[in-house]
């Protein structure tokens, strides 16, 4: 990316929202609706009946433990299927309501299978997939759900892991890049879009083994200036995920963008970073 280049214009794909009845998925739905409205994008809601849960209910020895009561009881297949139908209907109503408020068309796809597999079969390279960090069967908090891990690592398009809105003191979009430019342009484009839509400044953090690179800094800043984005560029050593997370917190990040090609994903620290950052994170291919 040079000072003379603009961010590449990519075709607008669909916004896919994974709905499962959890509080975070409903919050993610509102975020997805805002993005779709800004992009004038097609919206597809996805609800998956988890086949492994249904199979488990068929074994007489299987038990489920009440989240509030802590009481173990046999899994009732009919009750689980009824709950899934109820959740699917709730997903349909929530999707229709959110999109109607913004004048957007929408559709809901119902699937039965493994959640990650069904979503990967539906998603296209240009799509944005939006989901909560944990599902209805997970515990609230900063831990990353197993489905989210698979989708982050394998989805063909961008993946937005939604978390509860951060504190008001966090007011910057942060993009984490490699020194090697490679796939960085897509992460920068997403960061610029977020900064523009949220009217927030942008910080671009570049992981490097060679120290500060003035040429890269100048090119990035010139590109952002051409986009009308207020930005700054900082260089980071190849530090641990915990150290990177601390820098991101110090930046006052409201959202984080990083490429799956970031060297951090080749280390064991990527999961640590995503789990420590309890804020919306967009992962680009």
């Amino acid at each position: 990316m040079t000072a003379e280049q603009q961010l590449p214009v990519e075709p607008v794909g669909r916004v896919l929202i994974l709905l499962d009845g959890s509080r975070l998925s409903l919050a993610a739905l509102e975020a997805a609706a805002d993005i779709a409205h800004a992009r004038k994008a097609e919206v597809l809601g996805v609800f998956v009946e988890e086949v492994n849960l249904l199979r488990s209910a068929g074994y007489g020895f299987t038990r489920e433990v009440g989240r509030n009561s802590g009481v173990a009881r046999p899994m009732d297949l009919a009750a689980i299927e009824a709950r899934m139908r109820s959740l699917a209907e709730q997903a349909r109503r929530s999707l229709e309501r959110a999109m109607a408020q913004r004048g957007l068309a929408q559709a809901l796809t119902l699937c039965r299978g493994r959640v990650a597999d069904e979503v990967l079969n539906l998603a296209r390279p240009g799509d944005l997939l939006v989901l909560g960090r944990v599902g209805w069967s997970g515990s609230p908090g900063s831990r990353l759900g197993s489905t989210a891990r698979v989708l982050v690592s394998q989805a063909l398009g961008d993946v937005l892991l939604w978390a509860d809105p951060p504190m008001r003191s966090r007011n910057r979009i942060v993009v984490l890049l490699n020194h090697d430019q490679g796939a960085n342009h897509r992460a920068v484009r997403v960061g610029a879009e977020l900064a523009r839509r949220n009217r927030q400044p942008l910080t671009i953090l570049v992981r490097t083994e060679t120290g500060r690179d003035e040429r890269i800094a100048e090119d990035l800043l010139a590109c952002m200036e051409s986009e009308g984005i207020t930005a700054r560029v900082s260089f980071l050593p190849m530090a641990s995920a915990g150290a990177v997370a601390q820098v991101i917190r110090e930046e006052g990040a409201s959202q984080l963008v990083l490429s799956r090609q970031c060297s951090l994903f080749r280390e064991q620290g990527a999961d640590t970073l995503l789990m420590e950052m309890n804020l919306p994170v967009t992962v680009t291919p």
Side-chain angles (χ1 to χ4, degrees):
M1 184 183 295
T2 66
E4 292 75 27
Q5 290 177 318
Q6 302 291 317
L7 289 174
V9 177
E10 300 188 15
V12 176
R14 301 172 300 172
V15 174
L16 273 61
I17 170 65
L18 180 56
L19 297 164
D20 58 21
S22 67
R23 177 180 57 82
L24 267 182
S25 84
L26 296 177
L29 170 60
E30 292 298 318
D34 287 339
I35 294 169
H37 183 262
R39 293 184 175 184
K40 297 180 173 59
E42 178 184 347
V43 177
L44 178 65
V46 183
F47 182 90
V48 182
E49 296 181 348
E50 176 55 70
V51 69
N52 288 338
L53 180 60
L54 294 170
R55 286 173 179 166
S56 297
Y59 298 112
F61 56 80
T62 309
R63 297 290 184 272
E64 61 179 344
V65 179
R67 180 179 298 176
N68 297 323
S69 67
V71 175
R73 56 184 179 271
M75 294 183 71
D76 184 324
L77 178 58
I80 291 175
E81 289 186 328
R83 180 171 67 176
M84 286 188 174
R85 288 194 297 271
S86 175
L87 289 172
E89 178 60 20
Q90 177 187 344
R92 183 189 64 78
R93 292 196 303 268
S94 298
L95 180 66
E96 290 180 350
R97 182 167 55 251
M99 300 309 153
Q101 291 171 350
R102 297 163 176 84
L104 297 173
Q106 48 75 33
L108 177 67
T109 293
L110 301 177
C111 312
R112 175 172 288 195
R114 290 185 65 251
V115 176
D117 291 343
E118 296 300 322
V119 174
L120 291 173
N121 287 337
L122 288 169
R124 303 168 186 165
D127 292 341
L128 168 65
L129 173 62
V130 184
L131 65 151
R133 294 170 62 95
V134 294
W136 66 265
S137 59
S139 300
S142 61
R143 291 185 61 81
L144 193 64
S146 58
T147 296
R149 294 179 188 221
V150 173
L151 295 175
V152 161
S153 64
Q154 298 183 30
L156 297 176
D158 300 340
V159 179
L160 169 57
L161 299 175
W162 189 255
D164 285 329
M167 298 178 297
R168 291 184 180 275
S169 59
R170 301 181 186 178
N171 64 350
R172 297 188 74 87
I173 307 299
V174 175
V175 179
L176 180 64
L177 303 180
N178 291 338
H179 181 267
D180 173 17
Q181 292 299 280
N184 284 340
H185 71 274
R186 187 157 183 166
V188 173
R189 176 183 58 78
V190 171
E193 179 189 352
L194 288 172
R196 184 182 298 108
R197 188 168 68 243
N198 293 283
R199 299 181 180 179
Q200 292 181 338
L202 179 70
T203 292
I204 301 175
L205 301 176
V206 183
R207 297 185 84 217
T208 176
E209 293 177 341
T210 59
R212 184 174 177 85
D213 187 321
E214 295 296 339
R215 180 185 60 81
I216 288 180
E218 291 172 2
D219 287 348
L220 287 169
L221 289 172
C223 181
M224 291 300 96
E225 183 178 0
S226 71
E227 296 285 326
I229 304 296
T230 301
R232 65 174 177 238
V233 177
S234 297
F235 289 82
L236 295 176
M238 292 296 187
S240 68
V244 173
Q246 181 59 35
V247 171
I248 293 171
R249 281 191 289 267
E250 290 171 355
E251 285 291 326
S254 61
Q255 294 198 47
L256 172 65
V257 181
L258 71 161
S259 169
R260 193 191 303 151
Q261 305 305 315
C262 180
S263 54
L264 200 63
F265 277 93
R266 296 195 293 271
E267 304 165 8
Q268 294 183 349
D271 263 12
T272 301
L273 176 65
L274 293 177
M275 286 190 289
E276 286 194 14
M277 294 284 91
N278 192 24
L279 75 172
V281 178
T282 301
V283 180
T284 64

